[in-house]
Amino acid sequence: MELVIINNHPWAVGLRWLPPAKRRFTGHKALLAQAQEMDDAFDVSARCHGKQGVQFGFGAAGESWTRYAPVPALCPCLDVPPDFLGLFSLRSTEGIEFWWLHLRIGGAVAEFGDQVFYSEQEARDALTLMKKIAGLQAETGDSPMASAMYLEDRVRLTPLEKWALGKGHLSNLKKLASHSTVRRVTGLAAILTVILGIAFCWSYYADRAAREAARQARQERIQRKADLENHPEKFFPMAWQEKPLATDFASACLPVMMDLPLSSNGWELQSAVCNGKKVNLEWKHASGANFIRLPDGARLDEKDLRTARSSIALMPVESRRPDGSGTDHSMLLNREESLGLLAEITQATATRLNPPKFKAQKNRTIDKVKVVAPWHEADWELSGIPDLLMEPGPGPDGMGLFPMLAEIPGLTVESITFNNGWSMKGSIYARH
């Protein structure tokens, strides 16, 4: 036999069980005779009550009886289906790792349905044999932690059952209670009756409260799982909602970029990039330029002294998108529609589009449930943009590049660049 800890309580496993018998009482001598007939080493017994009658299980405690004396057997206290087969990896109270095989048929523990193995291979072989005999699928716990989590929810032993009814109690077959012990037990009967009455009431209400709490916890887990599966968008940031419309982005960047000089103190403007928060400038040294007098606010690049860099801070861009906060992802277009609109804009404006390649949907695991974002993300780039189109609003003909981009739900502009011509980059989000 071995002792294991489940729910912070020690339990004994590894007994050999007799078939159920209708007779509810069996004398001490009869139990001892049955134990010795099965195995001379058996010196403890336990009872298991079921619909088919009472079963007696026998085990060998030997010199370790003091360890087993206050401990109940696990089988009588385990709430599993009438037909059940399981193999669990457990660790004893002394740190020994072993495998426990449990088999029930028709609600009764099989004779060898409470076995302990110290070899995983022997345990697996026994499990294979039991599967063939019983025709059952097995529950398994491949680690002590997984086994404990499975068994913790299925152990049933109230204080009343333990102290008054002796459920799972282990008896020493080699010892008999003395007369003095009988007298003491009789004398304490009245006190125990009162205590057990209180314990019964406490156990009843505590068990009812625990079951109600478990029911509510199960209901919450079910609701949580349904929420994860039916509303995955709640668990991913809708990044496009936090970004300004293309027209608002352009309104912040273009006035500053259009007012930039092409040269300053002999330094030529190489490129200007606006990210919505500031405009980053790169200047190149030209003949006649002075390394002492740089463009306003510029600093030399330590890796390339013929390059200077500066930046111009912008006012924060604030706008309320039609697909912004307060709405959900349902306003997004699908991938084909988004690509079609970008291609149409490219054709209408005579620009060049680097077609967006949509990435795989983001996913994450929450409470052991895989949740997949209901949209795809892609980067896009537009280049070769004519100067006439670099206006935040509509042009004289009522059309404009940025107003057209702003009409595409889920489209954001991340940067506008001037470098011997205009280009811009951004992101676009589309439904699956």
Side-chain angles (χ1 to χ4, degrees), residues 261 263-264 267-270 281-284 295 306-308 310:
S263 64
S264 177
W267 291 77
E268 294 181 354
L269 179 64
Q270 182 70 18
L281 307 176
E282 181 181 313
W283 303 88
K284 285 294 183 181
R306 299 184 65 83
T307 299
S310 63

Side-chain angles (χ1 to χ4, degrees), residues 149-164:
M149 290 178 63
Y150 180 87
L151 296 173
E152 281 173 359
D153 294 335
R154 292 162 176 82
V155 173
R156 301 285 185 270
L157 183 62
T158 64
L160 177 65
E161 292 173 333
K162 179 178 180 180
W163 300 112

Side-chain angles (χ1 to χ4, degrees), residues 254 258 345-346 349-353 380-391 400-402 405 413 415-425:
L254 292 182
M258 291 296 185
I345 291 173
T346 303
T349 57
T351 54
R352 293 189 300 274
L353 173 67
W380 59 270
E381 181 177 357
L382 207 61
S383 58
I385 306 173
D387 293 347
L388 293 175
L389 296 178
M390 300 307 292
E391 290 288 341
L401 174 59
F402 291 97
L405 292 174
V413 178
S415 66
I416 298 176
T417 301
F418 175 78
N419 187 351
N420 293 325
W422 294 94
S423 63
M424 70 178 77
K425 296 180 180 180

Side-chain angles (χ1 to χ4, degrees), residues 69-226:
V71 177
L74 180 59
C75 282
C77 307
L78 197 58
D79 185 9
V80 294
D83 296 307
F84 177 83
L85 176 61
L87 182 64
F88 304 96
S89 171
L90 298 171
R91 194 178 300 279
S92 72
T93 54
E94 295 181 337
I96 301 173
E97 188 169 357
F98 65 94
W99 293 82
W100 178 55
L101 176 70
H102 183 46
L103 173 63
R104 292 193 186 192
I105 300 177
V109 181
E111 179 179 0
F112 296 100
D114 185 9
Q115 292 189 76
V116 168
F117 298 90
Y118 298 96
S119 166
E120 181 178 356
Q121 185 58 49
E122 292 180 6
R124 297 289 181 185
D125 292 343
L127 178 67
T128 302
L129 178 61
M130 293 301 178
K131 283 183 178 180
K132 293 180 180 179
I133 295 174
L136 298 173
Q137 293 296 320
E139 292 285 347
T140 58
D142 295 327
S143 68
M145 180 178 294
S147 300
M149 290 178 63
Y150 180 87
L151 296 173
E152 281 173 359
D153 294 335
R154 292 162 176 82
V155 173
R156 301 285 185 270
L157 183 62
T158 64
L160 177 65
E161 292 173 333
K162 179 178 180 180
W163 300 112
L165 304 179
K167 184 176 180 180
H169 174 71
L170 290 176
S171 300
N172 193 332
L173 296 175
K174 301 296 184 180
K175 295 182 180 180
L176 286 172
S178 64
H179 293 292
S180 60
T181 301
V182 174
R183 286 195 298 270
R184 285 196 300 270
V185 172
T186 303
L188 293 173
I191 299 174
L192 288 175
T193 301
V194 176
I195 295 175
L196 292 174
I198 296 173
F200 175 80
C201 294
W202 177 86
S203 175
Y204 171 78
Y205 288 107
D207 187 62
R208 188 172 71 173
R211 290 181 181 275
E212 177 61 23
R215 186 192 67 80
Q216 292 181 357
R218 284 195 299 271
Q219 188 64 32
E220 290 175 359
R221 287 198 297 269
I222 293 172
Q223 182 59 43
R224 173 71 166 171
K225 183 178 180 181

Side-chain angles (χ1 to χ4, degrees), residues 317-333:
V317 183
E318 296 184 1
S319 65
R320 299 190 63 179
R321 301 176 60 106
D323 56 348
S325 300
T327 64
D328 59 24
H329 68 293
S330 61
M331 293 190 68
L332 297 177
L333 305 175

Side-chain angles (χ1 to χ4, degrees), residues 240-250 276 317-321 411-413:
W240 69 90
Q241 294 185 346
E242 307 300 325
K243 303 293 181 66
L245 287 169
T247 49
D248 295 311
F249 191 95
V317 183
E318 296 184 1
S319 65
R320 299 190 63 179
R321 301 176 60 106
L411 182 139
T412 66
V413 178

